[in-house]
Amino acid sequence: MNDSHDFLTAAVKMRNRYLNLLEASLTGTLYGDAPIDPWTGGQYDPNKRALGRDWPGLAQTMIGSARMRNLRHLCETVILNDVPGDFIETGVWRGGACIFMRGILASYAETRRRIFVADSFAGLPPPSPEKYAADVGDTHHVHGELAISRKDVEENFRRYDLLDEQVVFLEGWFKDTLPNAPIQKLAVLRLDGDMYESTIQALDALYHKVSYGGFVIVDDYFLAPCAQAVDEFRAGGNITSPLIPIDGCAVWWRVSEPANHQ
């Protein structure tokens, strides 16, 4: 009995060490990765990196340590509680959050779930103000740093030895890829599309697939167009689960009733 307990304790410690190291590498905190954004002067600041307030030069995610730990907590929760469904991120940049989700599955020897990696791999779309008035003047599409190719994202997965058949790429604009994506159920839906358009298209196409007890994470709720899309969607679907803040930017909620918003 003691030997069994010692083995399980050691296994849990090793899993935690692996996931902690994976997070540190993906965020760039492991090596003090200098940012490339125009507002930080190229100086690594651990506080800004923890909160995702810069654009890393080499690291695979810009969402910061707080949001990565939230993602880990919610992924582990659905695994430990056997909430059915796959994981998806809509808007992946260099793929870091998706790589982390795949690493979490691997650390639990979870082979039933898939990671869906949804992105245009060509940056964000120019705004369509005639259809989505909230996006008037949006300039995300002019930032070349946000356009990361699928080949580069695949290579990032490969570097961590996490590119396999459980990773599914959905390449293209969300309006084209998400409505007919080969997804039956989701346990974690992570939105990182910045704009009203990208956010509402993902919610419209995928929310009804989130299992009871699953989670929705919105990375860009601090941006007014994204928040408007979320608030309008929740109001239209009578979604009353509380929005839980993460780090002043992102929020999440748990699906507390059957996901039947169409």
Side-chain angles (χ1 to χ4, degrees):
M1 187 69 176
N2 287 337
D3 288 345
S4 177
H5 180 269
D6 290 345
F7 174 80
L8 290 174
T9 299
V12 170
K13 287 182 178 179
M14 289 300 294
R15 175 193 291 146
N16 287 335
R17 286 179 179 176
Y18 167 69
L19 292 177
N20 289 342
L21 182 61
L22 183 58
E23 176 207 300
S25 180
L26 290 167
T27 59
T29 61
L30 183 66
Y31 46 92
D33 176 38
I36 58 172
D37 56 72
W39 59 83
T40 55
Q43 298 298 313
Y44 173 74
D45 182 333
N47 294 318
K48 285 187 173 65
R49 186 60 53 87
L51 297 174
R53 301 294 199 271
D54 64 4
W55 291 355
L58 297 174
Q60 288 79 37
T61 183
M62 65 170 70
I63 71 174
S65 303
R67 275 172 266 172
M68 287 285 271
R69 289 170 191 173
N70 165 260
L71 178 60
R72 174 179 170 180
H73 170 65
L74 300 187
C75 288
E76 290 183 313
T77 297
V78 298
I79 292 170
L80 293 172
N81 288 278
D82 202 25
V83 177
D86 299 314
F87 300 168
I88 189 172
E89 184 178 44
T90 60
V92 308
W93 196 48
R94 294 174 180 163
C98 290
I99 294 169
F100 197 39
M101 288 191 285
R102 181 65 190 93
I104 292 167
L105 293 186
S107 73
Y108 280 86
E110 171 61 79
T111 60
R112 299 170 298 167
R113 304 179 196 265
R114 296 172 293 173
I115 306 298
F116 284 88
V117 185
D119 203 288
S120 70
F121 301 102
L124 278 80
S128 301
E130 69 285 352
K131 189 172 183 181
Y132 304 107
D135 287 333
V136 170
D138 188 276
T139 60
H140 281 95
H141 64 287
V142 306
H143 294 287
E145 302 93 338
L146 300 178
I148 307 299
S149 72
R150 173 173 172 171
K151 179 181 178 181
D152 286 345
V153 175
E154 289 178 342
E155 181 58 29
N156 287 337
F157 270 91
R158 192 174 288 112
R159 286 172 176 159
Y160 290 93
D161 194 25
L162 290 171
L163 184 64
D164 60 13
E165 68 282 352
Q166 285 180 253
V167 179
V168 181
F169 284 80
L170 300 175
E171 182 174 4
W173 301 121
F174 294 162
K175 63 183 178 64
D176 299 321
T177 61
L178 298 184
N180 298 310
I183 301 170
Q184 292 186 342
K185 291 183 179 180
L186 289 169
V188 176
L189 167 59
R190 189 175 197 282
L191 310 178
D192 194 355
D194 298 275
M195 303 168 66
Y196 182 102
E197 174 181 350
S198 304
T199 303
I200 202 67
Q201 287 175 350
L203 286 169
D204 284 340
L206 299 173
Y207 185 79
H208 66 281
K209 297 184 177 183
V210 181
S211 297
Y212 175 83
F215 296 100
V216 179
I217 308 166
V218 185
D219 190 80
D220 304 302
Y221 192 75
F222 74 105
L223 297 175
C226 173
Q228 181 179 336
V230 171
D231 293 345
E232 290 178 357
F233 184 86
R234 281 168 53 90
N238 296 314
I239 299 169
T240 58
S241 299
L243 285 176
I244 310 299
I246 300 172
D247 60 353
C249 289
V251 298
W252 63 274
W253 77 88
R254 191 167 201 173
V255 175
S256 58
E257 61 275 327
N260 56 10
H261 191 303
Q262 298 289 341

